[in-house]
Amino acid sequence: MDEKLKIKISIADRVYPLTVDMSQEEGLRSASKKIDAMIKQFEENYAVRDKQDVLAMCALQFASQVEQKQVDKSIESKDLDRLKKINDVLFDYLEKK
């Protein structure tokens, strides 16, 4: 069982105290850095006045990345199934010769 760790994560100039498994710490710290970098990018490139709007845009960006990976994985899985079927047909054909 992982030992619990108390950490503080900063996002958009707010500090969030968390109790997490030690195995989660690195991922959470990396995620908070990516969120802050994305906030900075949105603030520099768009006329956004409210942090709530920037955070919503970040959430949408990250969620769309996760969804796109699932779509891509589904497409790859279908392609792999097709290739396996083609391989089976070719293998059966070659065995009969």
Coordinates of all heavy atoms in Angstrom, one line a residue:
M1 N 0.8 -1.2 0.0 CA 0.0 0.0 0.0 C 0.9 1.2 0.0 O 1.8 1.3 0.8 CB -0.9 0.0 1.2 CG -1.9 1.1 1.3 SD -3.2 0.9 2.5 CE -2.5 1.6 3.9
D2 N 0.5 2.2 -0.8 CA 1.3 3.4 -0.9 C 1.1 4.3 0.3 O 0.0 4.4 0.9 CB 0.9 4.3 -2.2 CG 1.6 3.8 -3.4 OD1 2.6 3.1 -3.3 OD2 1.0 4.0 -4.5
E3 N 2.1 5.0 0.7 CA 2.1 5.9 1.8 C 1.4 7.2 1.4 O 1.7 7.6 0.3 CB 3.5 6.1 2.4 CG 3.6 6.9 3.7 CD 5.0 7.0 4.2 OE1 5.7 6.0 4.0 OE2 5.3 8.0 4.7
K4 N 0.6 7.8 2.2 CA 0.0 9.1 1.9 C 0.9 10.2 2.1 O 1.8 10.2 3.0 CB -1.3 9.3 2.7 CG -2.4 8.2 2.5 CD -3.0 8.4 1.1 CE -4.1 7.5 0.9 NZ -4.7 7.6 -0.4
L5 N 0.8 11.2 1.3 CA 1.7 12.4 1.3 C 0.8 13.6 1.2 O -0.1 13.7 0.4 CB 2.6 12.3 0.1 CG 3.7 13.3 -0.1 CD1 4.7 13.1 1.1 CD2 4.4 13.0 -1.4
K6 N 1.2 14.6 2.1 CA 0.4 15.9 2.0 C 1.3 16.8 1.2 O 2.4 17.1 1.5 CB 0.3 16.4 3.5 CG -0.7 15.6 4.3 CD -0.9 16.2 5.7 CE -1.7 15.3 6.5 NZ -3.1 15.8 6.7
I7 N 0.6 17.3 0.1 CA 1.3 18.3 -0.8 C 0.4 19.5 -1.0 O -0.8 19.5 -0.7 CB 1.7 17.6 -2.1 CG1 0.4 17.2 -2.9 CG2 2.6 16.4 -1.9 CD1 0.6 16.7 -4.3
K8 N 1.0 20.5 -1.5 CA 0.3 21.7 -1.9 C 0.5 21.9 -3.4 O 1.7 22.0 -3.8 CB 0.8 22.9 -1.1 CG 0.4 22.8 0.4 CD 0.8 24.1 1.1 CE 0.5 23.9 2.6 NZ 0.9 25.1 3.4
I9 N -0.5 22.1 -4.1 CA -0.5 22.3 -5.6 C -1.0 23.7 -5.9 O -2.1 24.1 -5.3 CB -1.4 21.2 -6.3 CG1 -0.8 19.8 -6.1 CG2 -1.5 21.6 -7.8 CD1 0.5 19.5 -6.8
S10 N -0.3 24.4 -6.7 CA -0.7 25.8 -7.0 C -1.2 25.8 -8.5 O -0.6 25.3 -9.4 CB 0.5 26.7 -6.9 OG 0.1 28.0 -7.4
I11 N -2.4 26.3 -8.6 CA -3.1 26.4 -9.9 C -3.7 27.8 -10.0 O -4.5 28.1 -9.1 CB -4.1 25.3 -10.2 CG1 -3.5 23.9 -10.2 CG2 -4.8 25.6 -11.5 CD1 -4.5 22.8 -10.2
A12 N -3.4 28.6 -11.0 CA -3.9 29.9 -11.2 C -3.8 30.8 -9.9 O -4.8 31.4 -9.5 CB -5.4 29.8 -11.6
D13 N -2.6 30.7 -9.4 CA -2.3 31.6 -8.2 C -3.1 31.2 -6.9 O -3.3 32.0 -6.0 CB -2.5 33.1 -8.5 CG -1.6 33.5 -9.6 OD1 -0.4 33.0 -9.7 OD2 -2.0 34.4 -10.4
R14 N -3.7 30.0 -6.9 CA -4.3 29.5 -5.7 C -3.6 28.2 -5.3 O -3.3 27.4 -6.1 CB -5.8 29.2 -6.0 CG -6.6 30.4 -6.0 CD -8.1 30.1 -6.0 NE -8.9 31.2 -5.9 CZ -10.2 31.2 -5.8 NH1 -10.9 30.1 -5.8 NH2 -10.9 32.3 -5.8
V15 N -3.5 28.0 -4.0 CA -2.9 26.8 -3.5 C -3.9 25.9 -3.0 O -4.9 26.2 -2.3 CB -1.9 27.2 -2.3 CG1 -1.3 26.0 -1.7 CG2 -0.8 28.1 -2.8
Y16 N -3.8 24.6 -3.4 CA -4.7 23.5 -3.0 C -3.9 22.5 -2.2 O -3.1 21.8 -2.8 CB -5.3 22.9 -4.2 CG -6.1 23.9 -5.0 CD1 -5.5 24.7 -6.1 CD2 -7.5 24.2 -4.7 CE1 -6.3 25.6 -6.8 CE2 -8.2 25.1 -5.4 CZ -7.6 25.8 -6.5 OH -8.3 26.8 -7.2
P17 N -4.3 22.3 -0.9 CA -3.6 21.2 -0.1 C -4.3 19.9 -0.5 O -5.5 19.8 -0.5 CB -3.9 21.6 1.3 CG -5.0 22.6 1.3 CD -5.1 23.2 -0.1
L18 N -3.5 18.9 -0.7 CA -4.0 17.6 -1.1 C -3.3 16.5 -0.3 O -2.1 16.7 0.1 CB -3.8 17.3 -2.6 CG -4.3 18.3 -3.6 CD1 -3.8 18.0 -5.0 CD2 -5.9 18.2 -3.6
T19 N -4.0 15.4 -0.1 CA -3.4 14.2 0.5 C -3.5 13.2 -0.6 O -4.6 12.8 -1.0 CB -4.1 13.8 1.8 OG1 -4.1 14.8 2.7 CG2 -3.5 12.5 2.4
V20 N -2.3 12.7 -1.0 CA -2.3 11.8 -2.2 C -1.3 10.6 -1.9 O -0.5 10.7 -1.0 CB -1.8 12.5 -3.5 CG1 -2.7 13.7 -3.8 CG2 -0.4 13.0 -3.3
D21 N -1.5 9.6 -2.7 CA -0.5 8.5 -2.7 C 0.8 9.0 -3.2 O 0.8 9.9 -4.1 CB -0.9 7.3 -3.5 CG -2.1 6.6 -3.0 OD1 -2.3 6.6 -1.7 OD2 -2.9 6.0 -3.7
M22 N 1.9 8.5 -2.7 CA 3.2 9.0 -3.2 C 3.4 8.8 -4.7 O 4.0 9.6 -5.4 CB 4.3 8.3 -2.4 CG 4.5 8.7 -1.0 SD 5.8 7.9 -0.1 CE 7.2 8.7 -0.8
S23 N 2.8 7.8 -5.2 CA 2.9 7.5 -6.6 C 2.1 8.5 -7.5 O 2.4 8.6 -8.7 CB 2.3 6.1 -6.9 OG 0.9 6.0 -6.6
Q24 N 1.3 9.3 -6.9 CA 0.5 10.3 -7.7 C 1.2 11.7 -7.7 O 0.8 12.5 -8.5 CB -0.9 10.5 -7.1 CG -1.8 9.3 -7.2 CD -3.1 9.5 -6.5 OE1 -3.1 9.8 -5.3 NE2 -4.2 9.4 -7.2
E25 N 2.1 11.9 -6.8 CA 2.7 13.2 -6.6 C 3.3 13.8 -7.9 O 3.0 14.9 -8.3 CB 3.8 13.2 -5.5 CG 4.4 14.6 -5.3 CD 5.6 14.6 -4.4 OE1 6.1 13.6 -4.0 OE2 5.9 15.8 -4.0
E26 N 4.1 13.0 -8.5 CA 4.8 13.6 -9.7 C 3.8 13.9 -10.8 O 3.9 15.0 -11.5 CB 5.8 12.5 -10.3 CG 6.6 13.0 -11.4 CD 7.6 12.0 -11.9 OE1 7.8 11.0 -11.3 OE2 8.2 12.2 -13.0
G27 N 2.8 13.1 -11.0 CA 1.8 13.4 -12.0 C 1.0 14.6 -11.7 O 0.7 15.4 -12.6
L28 N 0.6 14.8 -10.5 CA -0.1 16.0 -10.1 C 0.7 17.2 -10.2 O 0.2 18.3 -10.7 CB -0.6 15.8 -8.6 CG -1.8 14.8 -8.4 CD1 -2.0 14.5 -6.9 CD2 -3.0 15.4 -9.0
R29 N 1.9 17.2 -9.8 CA 2.8 18.4 -10.0 C 3.0 18.7 -11.5 O 3.0 19.9 -11.8 CB 4.1 18.2 -9.3 CG 4.0 18.1 -7.8 CD 5.3 18.3 -7.0 NE 5.2 18.0 -5.6 CZ 4.7 18.9 -4.7 NH1 4.3 20.1 -5.1 NH2 4.7 18.6 -3.5
S30 N 3.2 17.7 -12.3 CA 3.3 17.9 -13.7 C 2.1 18.5 -14.3 O 2.1 19.5 -15.1 CB 3.7 16.6 -14.4 OG 3.7 16.8 -15.8
A31 N 0.9 18.0 -13.9 CA -0.4 18.5 -14.4 C -0.6 19.9 -14.0 O -1.0 20.7 -14.8 CB -1.5 17.6 -13.9
S32 N -0.3 20.3 -12.8 CA -0.5 21.7 -12.4 C 0.4 22.6 -13.1 O 0.0 23.7 -13.5 CB -0.2 21.8 -10.8 OG 1.1 21.8 -10.5
K33 N 1.7 22.2 -13.5 CA 2.6 23.0 -14.3 C 2.0 23.2 -15.7 O 2.1 24.3 -16.3 CB 4.0 22.4 -14.3 CG 4.7 22.5 -13.0 CD 6.1 21.9 -13.1 CE 6.8 22.0 -11.8 NZ 8.1 21.2 -11.8
K34 N 1.5 22.1 -16.2 CA 0.9 22.2 -17.6 C -0.3 23.1 -17.6 O -0.5 23.9 -18.5 CB 0.5 20.8 -18.1 CG 1.7 20.0 -18.5 CD 1.3 18.6 -19.0 CE 2.5 17.8 -19.3 NZ 2.1 16.5 -19.8
I35 N -1.2 23.1 -16.6 CA -2.3 23.9 -16.5 C -1.9 25.4 -16.4 O -2.4 26.2 -17.1 CB -3.2 23.6 -15.2 CG1 -3.8 22.2 -15.5 CG2 -4.3 24.6 -15.0 CD1 -4.5 21.6 -14.2
D36 N -0.9 25.7 -15.5 CA -0.4 27.1 -15.4 C 0.2 27.6 -16.7 O 0.0 28.7 -17.1 CB 0.6 27.2 -14.2 CG -0.1 27.3 -12.9 OD1 -1.3 27.7 -12.8 OD2 0.5 27.0 -11.9
A37 N 0.9 26.7 -17.4 CA 1.5 27.1 -18.7 C 0.4 27.4 -19.7 O 0.4 28.4 -20.5 CB 2.4 26.0 -19.2
M38 N -0.7 26.6 -19.7 CA -1.8 26.8 -20.6 C -2.5 28.1 -20.3 O -3.0 28.8 -21.1 CB -2.7 25.6 -20.6 CG -3.7 25.6 -21.7 SD -4.8 24.1 -21.7 CE -3.6 22.9 -22.3
I39 N -2.7 28.3 -19.0 CA -3.4 29.6 -18.5 C -2.6 30.8 -19.1 O -3.2 31.7 -19.6 CB -3.5 29.6 -17.0 CG1 -4.5 28.6 -16.5 CG2 -3.8 31.0 -16.5 CD1 -4.5 28.4 -15.0
K40 N -1.3 30.7 -18.9 CA -0.4 31.8 -19.4 C -0.6 32.0 -20.9 O -0.7 33.1 -21.4 CB 1.0 31.5 -19.0 CG 2.0 32.6 -19.4 CD 3.4 32.3 -18.9 CE 4.3 33.4 -19.4 NZ 5.7 33.2 -19.0
Q41 N -0.6 30.9 -21.6 CA -0.7 30.9 -23.1 C -2.1 31.6 -23.5 O -2.1 32.4 -24.3 CB -0.6 29.5 -23.6 CG -0.7 29.5 -25.2 CD -0.7 28.1 -25.7 OE1 -0.7 27.1 -24.9 NE2 -0.6 27.9 -27.0
F42 N -3.2 31.1 -22.8 CA -4.5 31.7 -23.1 C -4.5 33.2 -22.8 O -5.1 34.0 -23.6 CB -5.6 31.0 -22.4 CG -6.0 29.7 -23.0 CD1 -6.1 28.5 -22.3 CD2 -6.3 29.6 -24.4 CE1 -6.4 27.3 -22.8 CE2 -6.7 28.4 -25.0 CZ -6.7 27.2 -24.2
E43 N -3.9 33.6 -21.7 CA -4.0 35.0 -21.3 C -3.2 35.8 -22.2 O -3.5 37.0 -22.5 CB -3.5 35.1 -19.8 CG -4.4 34.6 -18.8 CD -3.9 34.7 -17.4 OE1 -2.7 34.7 -17.2 OE2 -4.8 34.8 -16.5
E44 N -2.1 35.3 -22.8 CA -1.2 36.1 -23.7 C -1.9 36.2 -25.1 O -1.7 37.2 -25.8 CB 0.1 35.4 -23.8 CG 1.0 35.6 -22.6 CD 2.3 34.8 -22.7 OE1 2.5 34.0 -23.7 OE2 3.1 34.9 -21.8
N45 N -2.6 35.1 -25.5 CA -3.1 35.1 -26.9 C -4.6 35.5 -27.0 O -5.0 35.8 -28.2 CB -3.0 33.7 -27.4 CG -1.5 33.3 -27.6 OD1 -0.7 34.1 -27.9 ND2 -1.2 32.0 -27.3
Y46 N -5.3 35.6 -25.9 CA -6.7 36.0 -26.0 C -7.0 37.1 -25.0 O -6.4 37.2 -24.0 CB -7.6 34.8 -25.8 CG -7.4 33.7 -26.7 CD1 -6.6 32.6 -26.4 CD2 -7.9 33.7 -28.0 CE1 -6.3 31.5 -27.3 CE2 -7.6 32.7 -28.9 CZ -6.9 31.6 -28.5 OH -6.6 30.6 -29.4
A47 N -8.0 37.9 -25.3 CA -8.4 39.0 -24.4 C -9.4 38.4 -23.4 O -10.6 38.5 -23.5 CB -9.0 40.1 -25.2
V48 N -8.8 37.7 -22.4 CA -9.6 37.1 -21.3 C -9.4 37.8 -20.0 O -8.2 38.0 -19.6 CB -9.2 35.6 -21.2 CG1 -10.0 34.9 -20.1 CG2 -9.3 34.9 -22.5
R49 N -10.4 38.3 -19.4 CA -10.3 39.0 -18.2 C -10.6 38.2 -17.0 O -10.1 38.6 -15.9 CB -11.4 40.2 -18.2 CG -11.0 41.3 -19.2 CD -12.0 42.4 -19.2 NE -12.6 42.5 -20.6 CZ -13.8 42.7 -20.8 NH1 -14.7 42.8 -19.9 NH2 -14.2 42.8 -22.1
D50 N -11.3 37.2 -17.1 CA -11.7 36.4 -15.9 C -11.0 35.0 -15.9 O -10.9 34.3 -16.9 CB -13.2 36.1 -16.0 CG -13.8 35.5 -14.8 OD1 -13.1 35.3 -13.8 OD2 -15.0 35.1 -14.9
K51 N -10.4 34.7 -14.7 CA -9.7 33.4 -14.5 C -10.7 32.3 -14.8 O -10.2 31.2 -15.2 CB -9.1 33.3 -13.1 CG -7.9 34.1 -12.9 CD -6.7 33.4 -13.5 CE -5.4 34.1 -13.0 NZ -4.3 33.9 -13.9
Q52 N -11.9 32.4 -14.4 CA -12.9 31.4 -14.6 C -13.0 31.0 -16.1 O -13.0 29.8 -16.4 CB -14.3 31.8 -14.1 CG -15.4 30.8 -14.3 CD -15.3 29.7 -13.3 OE1 -14.8 29.8 -12.2 NE2 -15.7 28.5 -13.8
D53 N -13.0 32.0 -17.0 CA -13.0 31.7 -18.4 C -11.7 31.0 -18.9 O -11.8 30.0 -19.7 CB -13.1 33.0 -19.2 CG -14.5 33.7 -19.0 OD1 -15.5 33.0 -18.7 OD2 -14.6 34.9 -19.2
V54 N -10.6 31.4 -18.4 CA -9.3 30.8 -18.7 C -9.3 29.3 -18.2 O -8.9 28.4 -18.9 CB -8.1 31.5 -18.1 CG1 -6.8 30.8 -18.4 CG2 -8.1 32.9 -18.7
L55 N -9.8 29.1 -17.0 CA -9.8 27.7 -16.5 C -10.8 26.9 -17.2 O -10.5 25.7 -17.5 CB -10.2 27.8 -15.0 CG -9.1 28.3 -14.1 CD1 -9.6 28.5 -12.7 CD2 -7.9 27.4 -14.0
A56 N -11.9 27.4 -17.7 CA -12.8 26.7 -18.5 C -12.2 26.3 -19.8 O -12.4 25.2 -20.3 CB -14.1 27.5 -18.7
M57 N -11.5 27.2 -20.4 CA -10.8 26.9 -21.7 C -9.7 25.8 -21.5 O -9.6 24.9 -22.3 CB -10.2 28.2 -22.2 CG -11.2 29.2 -22.7 SD -10.6 30.9 -23.0 CE -9.4 30.7 -24.2
C58 N -9.0 25.9 -20.4 CA -8.0 24.8 -20.1 C -8.7 23.5 -19.9 O -8.2 22.5 -20.4 CB -7.3 25.2 -18.8 SG -6.1 26.5 -18.9
A59 N -9.8 23.5 -19.1 CA -10.5 22.2 -18.9 C -11.0 21.6 -20.3 O -10.9 20.4 -20.5 CB -11.7 22.4 -18.0
L60 N -11.5 22.5 -21.1 CA -12.0 22.0 -22.4 C -10.8 21.5 -23.3 O -10.9 20.4 -23.9 CB -12.7 23.2 -23.2 CG -13.2 22.9 -24.6 CD1 -14.2 21.7 -24.6 CD2 -13.7 24.1 -25.2
Q61 N -9.7 22.1 -23.2 CA -8.5 21.7 -24.0 C -8.1 20.3 -23.5 O -7.8 19.4 -24.3 CB -7.4 22.7 -23.8 CG -6.2 22.4 -24.6 CD -6.3 22.8 -26.1 OE1 -7.2 23.5 -26.5 NE2 -5.4 22.2 -26.9
F62 N -7.9 20.2 -22.2 CA -7.5 18.9 -21.7 C -8.5 17.8 -21.9 O -8.1 16.6 -22.3 CB -7.1 19.0 -20.2 CG -5.8 19.6 -19.9 CD1 -5.7 20.8 -19.2 CD2 -4.6 19.0 -20.3 CE1 -4.5 21.4 -19.0 CE2 -3.4 19.6 -20.1 CZ -3.3 20.8 -19.4
A63 N -9.8 18.1 -21.7 CA -10.8 17.1 -22.0 C -10.8 16.7 -23.4 O -11.0 15.5 -23.8 CB -12.2 17.6 -21.5
S64 N -10.7 17.6 -24.3 CA -10.7 17.3 -25.8 C -9.5 16.4 -26.2 O -9.6 15.5 -27.0 CB -10.8 18.5 -26.6 OG -9.6 19.3 -26.5
Q65 N -8.4 16.6 -25.5 CA -7.2 15.8 -25.8 C -7.4 14.4 -25.4 O -7.1 13.4 -26.1 CB -6.0 16.4 -25.1 CG -5.4 17.6 -25.6 CD -4.3 18.3 -24.8 OE1 -3.9 17.8 -23.7 NE2 -3.9 19.4 -25.2
V66 N -8.1 14.2 -24.2 CA -8.4 12.8 -23.7 C -9.4 12.2 -24.7 O -9.2 11.0 -25.0 CB -9.0 12.9 -22.3 CG1 -9.5 11.6 -21.9 CG2 -7.9 13.3 -21.3
E67 N -10.4 12.9 -25.0 CA -11.4 12.4 -25.9 C -10.8 12.0 -27.3 O -11.1 10.9 -27.9 CB -12.6 13.3 -26.1 CG -13.4 13.5 -24.9 CD -14.1 12.2 -24.4 OE1 -14.6 11.5 -25.3 OE2 -14.1 12.0 -23.2
Q68 N -9.9 12.8 -27.8 CA -9.3 12.6 -29.1 C -8.5 11.3 -29.1 O -8.5 10.5 -30.0 CB -8.5 13.8 -29.6 CG -8.0 13.6 -31.0 CD -9.2 13.5 -32.0 OE1 -10.1 14.3 -32.0 NE2 -9.1 12.5 -32.9
K69 N -7.8 11.1 -27.9 CA -7.0 9.9 -27.8 C -7.9 8.7 -27.8 O -7.5 7.6 -28.4 CB -6.1 10.0 -26.5 CG -4.9 10.9 -26.6 CD -4.1 10.9 -25.4 CE -3.0 11.9 -25.5 NZ -2.2 12.0 -24.3
Q70 N -9.0 8.7 -27.2 CA -10.0 7.6 -27.2 C -10.5 7.4 -28.6 O -10.6 6.2 -29.0 CB -11.1 7.8 -26.2 CG -10.6 7.8 -24.8 CD -11.8 8.1 -23.8 OE1 -12.8 8.6 -24.1 NE2 -11.5 7.7 -22.5
V71 N -10.8 8.4 -29.3 CA -11.3 8.3 -30.7 C -10.2 7.6 -31.6 O -10.4 6.7 -32.3 CB -11.7 9.6 -31.3 CG1 -11.9 9.6 -32.8 CG2 -12.9 10.1 -30.6
D72 N -8.9 8.1 -31.4 CA -7.8 7.6 -32.2 C -7.6 6.1 -31.9 O -7.3 5.3 -32.7 CB -6.5 8.4 -31.9 CG -6.6 9.8 -32.5 OD1 -7.5 10.1 -33.3 OD2 -5.8 10.6 -32.1
K73 N -7.7 5.8 -30.6 CA -7.5 4.4 -30.1 C -8.6 3.5 -30.7 O -8.3 2.4 -31.2 CB -7.5 4.3 -28.6 CG -7.2 3.0 -28.1 CD -7.2 3.0 -26.6 CE -6.8 1.6 -26.0 NZ -6.8 1.6 -24.5
S74 N -9.8 4.0 -30.8 CA -10.9 3.2 -31.4 C -10.7 3.0 -32.9 O -10.9 1.9 -33.4 CB -12.2 4.0 -31.2 OG -13.3 3.3 -31.8
I75 N -10.2 4.0 -33.6 CA -9.9 3.9 -35.0 C -8.8 2.9 -35.2 O -8.9 2.0 -36.1 CB -9.6 5.3 -35.6 CG1 -10.8 6.1 -35.6 CG2 -9.0 5.1 -37.0 CD1 -10.6 7.6 -36.0
E76 N -7.7 3.0 -34.4 CA -6.6 2.1 -34.5 C -7.0 0.6 -34.2 O -6.6 -0.3 -34.9 CB -5.5 2.5 -33.5 CG -4.7 3.7 -33.9 CD -3.7 4.2 -32.9 OE1 -3.5 3.4 -31.9 OE2 -3.2 5.3 -33.0
S77 N -7.9 0.5 -33.3 CA -8.4 -0.9 -33.0 C -9.2 -1.4 -34.1 O -9.1 -2.6 -34.5 CB -9.3 -0.8 -31.7 OG -9.9 -2.1 -31.4
K78 N -10.0 -0.6 -34.8 CA -10.8 -1.1 -35.9 C -9.8 -1.4 -37.1 O -10.0 -2.5 -37.8 CB -11.8 0.0 -36.4 CG -13.0 0.2 -35.5 CD -13.9 1.3 -35.9 CE -15.0 1.5 -34.9 NZ -15.8 2.6 -35.3
D79 N -8.8 -0.6 -37.3 CA -7.8 -0.9 -38.3 C -7.1 -2.2 -38.0 O -6.8 -3.0 -39.0 CB -6.8 0.3 -38.5 CG -7.5 1.5 -39.1 OD1 -8.6 1.4 -39.7 OD2 -6.8 2.6 -39.0
L80 N -6.8 -2.4 -36.8 CA -6.1 -3.6 -36.4 C -6.9 -4.9 -36.6 O -6.5 -5.9 -37.1 CB -5.6 -3.5 -34.9 CG -4.8 -4.7 -34.4 CD1 -3.5 -4.8 -35.2 CD2 -4.4 -4.5 -33.0
D81 N -8.2 -4.7 -36.3 CA -9.1 -5.8 -36.6 C -9.2 -6.2 -38.0 O -9.2 -7.3 -38.4 CB -10.5 -5.5 -36.0 CG -10.6 -5.5 -34.5 OD1 -9.7 -6.1 -33.9 OD2 -11.6 -5.0 -34.0
R82 N -9.3 -5.1 -38.9 CA -9.3 -5.4 -40.3 C -8.0 -6.1 -40.8 O -8.1 -7.0 -41.6 CB -9.5 -4.0 -41.1 CG -10.8 -3.4 -41.0 CD -10.9 -2.2 -41.9 NE -12.1 -1.4 -41.5 CZ -12.1 -0.1 -41.4 NH1 -11.0 0.6 -41.7 NH2 -13.1 0.6 -41.0
L83 N -6.9 -5.6 -40.3 CA -5.6 -6.2 -40.7 C -5.6 -7.7 -40.3 O -5.1 -8.6 -41.0 CB -4.5 -5.5 -40.1 CG -4.2 -4.1 -40.8 CD1 -3.1 -3.4 -40.0 CD2 -3.8 -4.3 -42.2
K84 N -6.1 -8.0 -39.1 CA -6.1 -9.4 -38.6 C -7.0 -10.2 -39.5 O -6.6 -11.4 -39.8 CB -6.6 -9.4 -37.2 CG -5.6 -9.0 -36.2 CD -6.1 -9.1 -34.7 CE -5.1 -8.6 -33.7 NZ -5.6 -8.6 -32.4
K85 N -8.1 -9.7 -39.9 CA -9.0 -10.5 -40.8 C -8.4 -10.7 -42.2 O -8.4 -11.8 -42.7 CB -10.4 -9.7 -41.0 CG -11.2 -9.8 -39.8 CD -12.5 -9.0 -40.0 CE -13.3 -9.0 -38.7 NZ -14.5 -8.1 -38.8
I86 N -7.7 -9.7 -42.7 CA -7.0 -9.9 -44.0 C -5.9 -10.9 -43.8 O -5.7 -11.8 -44.7 CB -6.4 -8.5 -44.5 CG1 -7.5 -7.6 -44.9 CG2 -5.4 -8.7 -45.6 CD1 -7.1 -6.2 -45.1
N87 N -5.2 -10.8 -42.7 CA -4.1 -11.8 -42.4 C -4.7 -13.2 -42.4 O -4.1 -14.1 -42.9 CB -3.4 -11.4 -41.1 CG -2.1 -12.3 -40.9 OD1 -1.3 -12.4 -41.8 ND2 -2.0 -12.9 -39.8
D88 N -5.8 -13.4 -41.7 CA -6.4 -14.7 -41.6 C -6.8 -15.2 -42.9 O -6.6 -16.4 -43.2 CB -7.6 -14.7 -40.6 CG -7.2 -14.4 -39.2 OD1 -6.0 -14.6 -38.8 OD2 -8.1 -14.1 -38.4
V89 N -7.4 -14.4 -43.8 CA -7.8 -14.8 -45.1 C -6.6 -15.2 -45.9 O -6.6 -16.3 -46.6 CB -8.6 -13.7 -45.8 CG1 -8.8 -14.0 -47.3 CG2 -9.9 -13.4 -45.1
L90 N -5.5 -14.4 -45.9 CA -4.3 -14.8 -46.6 C -3.7 -16.1 -46.1 O -3.2 -16.9 -46.9 CB -3.3 -13.6 -46.5 CG -3.6 -12.4 -47.3 CD1 -2.7 -11.3 -47.0 CD2 -3.7 -12.6 -48.8
F91 N -3.7 -16.2 -44.8 CA -3.1 -17.4 -44.2 C -3.9 -18.6 -44.6 O -3.3 -19.7 -45.0 CB -3.1 -17.3 -42.7 CG -2.4 -18.4 -42.0 CD1 -1.0 -18.5 -42.0 CD2 -3.1 -19.4 -41.3 CE1 -0.3 -19.5 -41.3 CE2 -2.4 -20.4 -40.7 CZ -1.0 -20.5 -40.7
D92 N -5.2 -18.6 -44.6 CA -6.1 -19.7 -45.0 C -5.8 -20.0 -46.5 O -5.7 -21.2 -46.9 CB -7.6 -19.4 -44.8 CG -7.9 -19.4 -43.3 OD1 -7.2 -19.9 -42.5 OD2 -9.0 -18.8 -43.0
Y93 N -5.7 -19.0 -47.3 CA -5.5 -19.2 -48.7 C -4.1 -19.9 -49.0 O -4.0 -20.8 -49.8 CB -5.5 -17.8 -49.4 CG -5.2 -17.9 -50.9 CD1 -6.1 -18.4 -51.8 CD2 -3.9 -17.6 -51.4 CE1 -5.8 -18.5 -53.2 CE2 -3.6 -17.6 -52.7 CZ -4.6 -18.1 -53.6 OH -4.3 -18.2 -54.9
L94 N -3.1 -19.4 -48.3 CA -1.8 -20.0 -48.5 C -1.7 -21.4 -47.9 O -0.9 -22.3 -48.5 CB -0.7 -19.1 -47.8 CG -0.5 -17.8 -48.5 CD1 0.5 -16.9 -47.6 CD2 0.1 -17.9 -49.9
E95 N -2.4 -21.8 -46.9 CA -2.5 -23.1 -46.3 C -3.1 -24.1 -47.3 O -2.7 -25.2 -47.4 CB -3.2 -23.1 -45.0 CG -2.4 -22.8 -43.8 CD -3.2 -23.1 -42.5 OE1 -4.4 -23.2 -42.5 OE2 -2.5 -23.3 -41.5
K96 N -4.1 -23.6 -48.1 CA -4.8 -24.5 -49.0 C -3.9 -24.8 -50.3 O -4.2 -25.8 -51.0 CB -6.1 -23.9 -49.4 CG -7.1 -23.8 -48.3 CD -8.4 -23.1 -48.7 CE -9.3 -23.0 -47.5 NZ -10.5 -22.3 -47.9
K97 N -3.0 -24.0 -50.5 CA -2.1 -24.2 -51.7 C -1.1 -25.3 -51.5 O -0.6 -25.7 -50.8 CB -1.4 -22.9 -52.1 CG -2.4 -22.0 -52.8 CD -1.7 -21.0 -53.7 CE -2.6 -20.7 -54.8 NZ -2.0 -20.3 -56.0

